[in-house]
Amino acid sequence: MSNDALKNAARILGQARLAIAFTGAGISVESGIPPFRGPGGIWSRYDPEKFEKNYFRQHPEEVWPLLRKIFFDELARAEPNPAHQALALLEDMGRLAAVITQNIDGLHQAAGSRTVYEYHGSTRRMQCMDCRMFFDSASISLETLPPPCPNCGGLLKPDFVFFSEAIPFDVHTEATRLAKKADVCLVVGTCGEVMPAGRIPRVAANAGATVIEINVQETGYTRGTTDIFLQGKAGTMLPMLVEEVVGRHA
Ligand code: NAD
Ligand code: ZN
């Protein structure tokens, strides 16, 4: 990655009319959350079939201990890293309209980002599969599993998208609308293979946006969709990029 690429990206981001960020598991790796695929990834350690909605409904006493271990014990301890913080700062400066994330860890909000579209839901909420009420995960005790719904005693499910479950319609609609309006799309730490979320950068590019990508390695976007590729860790590259934007506006 050349210094020119960074400066060029900062200039374009600094002049953006409407910039959005599209993030994936890679932005949370430096917070200690492994990506789902590849060595050490969650799907190399657990059977994805267990996180299929109907399987969960039929075997909650088998699946809940796994959910607690992976998504509450491990993820709940993670804290935002400088990449999440850089995006929050960019929004504060009025230079970023929204973060569209595939992550379910809530770390963008924990870093201070206010406009966050969670494509795959969040571990921070639970929904009752019987009465449909929502609860803050922090208010639900996980000492006895499955935890009963405080309202009706029914089955609580973490409010992230399970396999065979639909993407939240309003999030998809709003994220697509923003992608069509954006003139800059920052793509951070995602291989972009999970659909339909992975289409967001292409929707933005097709509508004329400049795509700036940060990743430790090339992805399916890099050669076709990306205009400026900044190779490196999100926790290093994003703060450098944002610092450069701040410098231009100081
Ligand atoms: P992925 O695991 O398929 O790909 C991760 C990408 O991040 C890769 O392209 C990799 O090269 C890159 N990467 C790894 N370390 C990086 C770093 N330090 N800096 C920058 N880039 C780095 O992730 P995905 O594309 O987001 O798709 C996986 C799916 O799993 C998503 O749908 C998401 O919902 C879910 N997921 C969420 C979390 C989370 O909430 N933190 C974690 C894992 C997976
Ligand atoms: Zn209920």
Side-chain angles (χ1 to χ4, degrees):
M1 202 252 340
S2 74
N3 202 25
D4 281 359
L6 185 79
K7 285 201 155 50
N8 198 17
R11 181 182 54 78
I12 290 167
L13 191 56
Q15 290 170 350
R17 183 179 37 74
L18 194 152
I20 56 171
F22 177 67
T23 67
I27 198 169
S28 294
V29 165
E30 289 157 86
S31 291
I33 303 176
F36 281 8
R37 282 167 266 165
I42 286 166
W43 300 145
S44 67
R45 293 184 283 150
Y46 302 97
D47 181 359
E49 269 178 29
K50 304 269 190 280
F51 306 99
E52 204 268 325
K53 196 176 171 186
N54 289 327
Y55 189 89
F56 170 67
R57 218 200 204 309
Q58 282 153 22
H59 308 275
E61 58 302 314
E62 180 194 347
V63 181
W64 250 113
L66 297 176
L67 289 172
R68 178 171 66 187
K69 182 169 184 323
I70 303 169
F71 297 101
F72 295 96
D73 293 352
E74 291 182 17
L75 253 73
R77 279 199 294 268
E79 297 200 358
N81 68 55
H84 300 101
Q85 283 152 1
L87 290 182
L89 175 62
L90 213 50
E91 183 182 15
D92 277 348
M93 289 164 60
R95 308 250 50 101
L96 186 71
V99 175
I100 299 166
T101 188
Q102 300 166 87
N103 296 344
I104 58 176
D105 53 33
L107 291 182
H108 285 298
Q109 292 94 329
S113 284
R114 281 164 278 126
T115 315
V116 182
Y117 294 95
E118 294 172 314
Y119 231 96
H120 298 143
S122 174
T123 55
R124 300 200 306 177
R125 291 179 304 272
M126 294 190 195
Q127 186 179 21
C128 175
M129 292 184 89
D130 297 304
C131 73
R132 316 304 300 168
M133 258 178 86
F134 286 95
F135 301 91
D136 184 342
S137 300
S139 72
I140 304 291
S141 161
L142 297 182
E143 261 170 49
T144 7
L145 296 180
C149 166
N151 181 49
C152 74
L155 178 60
L156 286 179
K157 174 188 163 296
D159 190 32
F160 54 79
V161 176
F162 276 34
F163 291 110
S164 80
E165 204 176 5
I167 298 295
F169 180 73
D170 49 345
V171 172
H172 176 65
T173 308
E174 186 56 17
T176 306
R177 191 185 70 80
L178 276 171
K180 284 182 181 161
K181 276 186 18 188
D183 57 350
V184 174
C185 179
L186 202 52
V187 179
V188 187
T190 176
C191 65
E193 281 165 19
V194 179
M195 295 300 159
R199 289 199 197 99
I200 290 293
R202 296 199 176 90
V203 169
N206 288 343
T210 302
V211 174
I212 300 168
E213 180 181 22
I214 296 178
N215 201 305
V216 287
Q217 61 187 25
E218 288 195 5
T219 68
Y221 298 122
T222 313
R223 292 184 184 252
T225 306
T226 299
D227 295 291
I228 304 174
F229 183 56
L230 305 176
Q231 185 161 17
K233 290 184 175 182
T236 310
M237 297 307 300
L238 252 181
M240 273 168 68
L241 177 63
V242 172
E243 226 167 83
E244 189 74 31
V245 175
V246 173
R248 283 169 184 270
H249 289 265

